[in-house]
Amino acid sequence: MKFFLDTANIEDVKELLPTGWVDGITTNPSLIAASGRRFLDVIAEMCDLVDGPVSAEVAATDYKTMLAEGRHLAKIAENVAVKVPLTLDGLKACYALTQEGTMVNVTLCFSAAQALLAAKAGATFISPFVGRLDDIGHDGMTLIQEICQIYAQYPFDTEVLAASIRHPLHVTQAAQSGADIATIPPKVIYQLLQHPLTDKGVEIFTKDWKKTGQSIL
Ligand code: G3P
């Protein structure tokens, strides 16, 4: 499963790049607002930092302006994936942009029916929001499973990008469910890493190595 970082914070990306885990980045208007930086600058810098897709979301809600914004964002770099909301206008823009060879990430997906429409509109990525479904008492991971099951039946090129990830279990369950990608907040990436027995083991190995009085270098 590919890992995208769900962040608009350049430092988060630089910090995790040496791990080899960063297959791409997703941003959204809320993350951009939180960064306090100019949107187009953030996207340009992100596209320089990683080879993989960098999602940049349109701000408009009407087809014509979404298309114009999408084309403008796509000009920033080859690896820009234009993000559009899963609305009628958004899917029309998705179809037009993918026909022009632009990657499109269709976001704010909350049902399998919506995901089917996005695939038929040529979406490169579909972003079902797992956490926001969980937040209202639904099982967001069931949606990932339903979409993967439907997509497996047909020659769709759309990749399932599990989004709105809240904790490590979402990541492992998305992988078990067959998602192609999970877009993960940096905080959750670090949580994935943590286990008290690993920490304890390192502590014991270090202590016992010291007893040997040896050095490797
Ligand atoms: O960036 C798309 C998605 O991952 C954001 O989800 O629910 O954390 O705002 P959320």
Side-chain angles (χ1 to χ4, degrees):
M1 184 171 78
K2 284 178 267 188
F3 280 13
F4 286 6
L5 280 189
D6 201 24
T7 184
N9 183 319
I10 293 283
E11 293 315 311
D12 287 339
V13 180
K14 286 178 181 171
E15 180 76 22
L16 285 165
L17 269 180
T19 62
W21 300 334
V22 184
D23 300 310
I25 297 168
T26 55
T27 70
N28 64 43
S30 305
L31 290 170
I32 293 293
S35 78
R37 294 194 55 205
R38 200 169 162 274
F39 175 36
L40 300 182
D41 293 345
V42 170
I43 298 303
E45 280 180 44
M46 294 277 195
C47 288
D48 275 346
L49 275 176
V50 303
D51 296 331
V54 175
S55 289
E57 191 158 343
V58 298
T61 53
D62 67 291
Y63 167 59
K64 194 164 156 283
T65 317
M66 280 175 167
L67 193 52
E69 289 179 346
R71 285 169 173 158
H72 188 65
L73 292 170
K75 281 190 199 133
I76 295 173
E78 283 286 301
N79 55 328
V80 163
V82 175
K83 225 181 188 184
V84 296
L86 209 155
T87 60
L88 181 62
D89 284 69
L91 291 183
K92 285 179 182 173
C94 170
Y95 183 68
L97 288 165
T98 50
Q99 290 288 96
E100 294 170 359
T102 297
M103 289 189 284
V104 176
N105 178 359
V106 175
T107 190
L108 290 168
C109 172
F110 294 96
S111 76
Q114 286 181 320
L116 189 51
L117 291 174
K120 288 185 66 60
T124 315
F125 309 107
I126 182 69
S127 290
F129 276 37
V130 178
R132 293 195 193 184
L133 282 165
D134 287 3
D135 292 346
I136 60 164
H138 292 246
D139 179 354
M141 205 47 70
T142 302
L143 176 58
I144 300 291
Q145 288 151 13
E146 288 170 352
I147 297 170
C148 288
Q149 190 193 13
I150 292 170
Y151 281 17
Q153 316 294 327
Y154 304 97
F156 291 136
D157 295 325
T158 308
E159 291 191 274
V160 179
L161 197 171
S164 190
I165 298 291
R166 294 276 191 276
H167 48 69
L169 258 185
H170 274 164
V171 179
T172 50
Q173 287 169 351
Q176 286 168 318
S177 303
D180 300 286
I181 307 157
T183 190
I184 312 167
K187 177 172 83 71
V188 176
I189 292 256
Y190 291 110
Q191 286 174 316
L192 283 170
L193 199 57
Q194 299 307 321
H195 197 292
L197 288 180
T198 303
D199 298 342
K200 186 76 191 144
V202 169
E203 194 187 315
I204 292 167
F205 285 163
T206 305
K207 196 159 130 270
D208 289 346
W209 175 254
K210 281 200 175 114
K211 287 177 190 163
T212 71
Q214 300 177 51
S215 68
I216 294 170
L217 297 176

